[in-house]
Amino acid sequence: MDIEAKVTAVGPQALTSGDPMVILFNETASAALREVAVIQTFTDPTQMQHLTLKVGDRLTIAGQDYPIKSVGELVDNNLRSIGHVTLVFDEAAPMGLQNAIHFAKQPKPAFKVGTTIIYHCSLA
């Protein structure tokens, strides 16, 4: 199943250079979180209730595919409830983040308002 989201805002501190992480939230994020996060809105929020991500699934961000190397235990529930996940573009980064999806080491995508994120995932 493919679940699509659009970036609706990018916080001024969301894309720090040299940091391999990007924090995503939905529109319910507080003002403080919006400073450090990329805000995404799902095209069909009802699809999110069936989202289950696993190793081997992938995200497509701005047309670029990112195969998933690991998925934290809290990812699915956080995505379903508040559209939250931390994307880590360095599989060697600490795996202790239970709200993170890890990808192979690579430059972060260029998130901007209007960027499309597609979660190519399994159904729960």
Side-chain angles (χ1 to χ4, degrees):
M1 168 178 248
D2 291 349
I3 299 173
E4 184 175 307
K6 290 275 188 194
V7 172
T8 57
V10 177
Q13 299 170 16
L15 303 175
T16 315
S17 64
D19 183 355
M21 294 190 283
V22 176
I23 301 168
L24 301 177
F25 273 97
N26 68 14
E27 296 286 345
T28 65
S30 69
L33 287 174
R34 287 174 176 271
E35 291 289 310
V36 298
V38 171
I39 305 301
Q40 62 180 340
T41 300
F42 290 92
T43 307
D44 182 356
T46 59
Q47 288 182 327
M48 288 305 298
Q49 299 313 306
H50 305 287
L51 174 71
T52 302
L53 291 169
K54 64 182 189 312
V55 173
D57 289 343
R58 67 194 200 300
L59 269 61
T60 301
I61 303 169
Q64 176 73 37
D65 273 345
Y66 296 91
I68 295 173
K69 298 291 185 182
S70 74
V71 180
E73 290 182 20
L74 302 176
V75 167
D76 294 335
N77 285 336
N78 285 346
L79 272 168
R80 290 176 192 153
S81 61
I82 55 175
H84 169 58
V85 67
T86 300
L87 306 179
V88 182
F89 295 91
D90 185 351
E91 62 195 318
M95 296 289 193
L97 293 174
Q98 294 305 310
N99 62 332
I101 298 172
H102 288 258
F103 305 95
K105 184 177 178 100
Q106 58 199 300
K108 291 185 292 195
F111 289 92
K112 61 185 181 188
V113 172
T115 296
T116 299
I117 303 168
I118 301 172
Y119 295 82
H120 304 280
C121 58
S122 308
L123 288 174

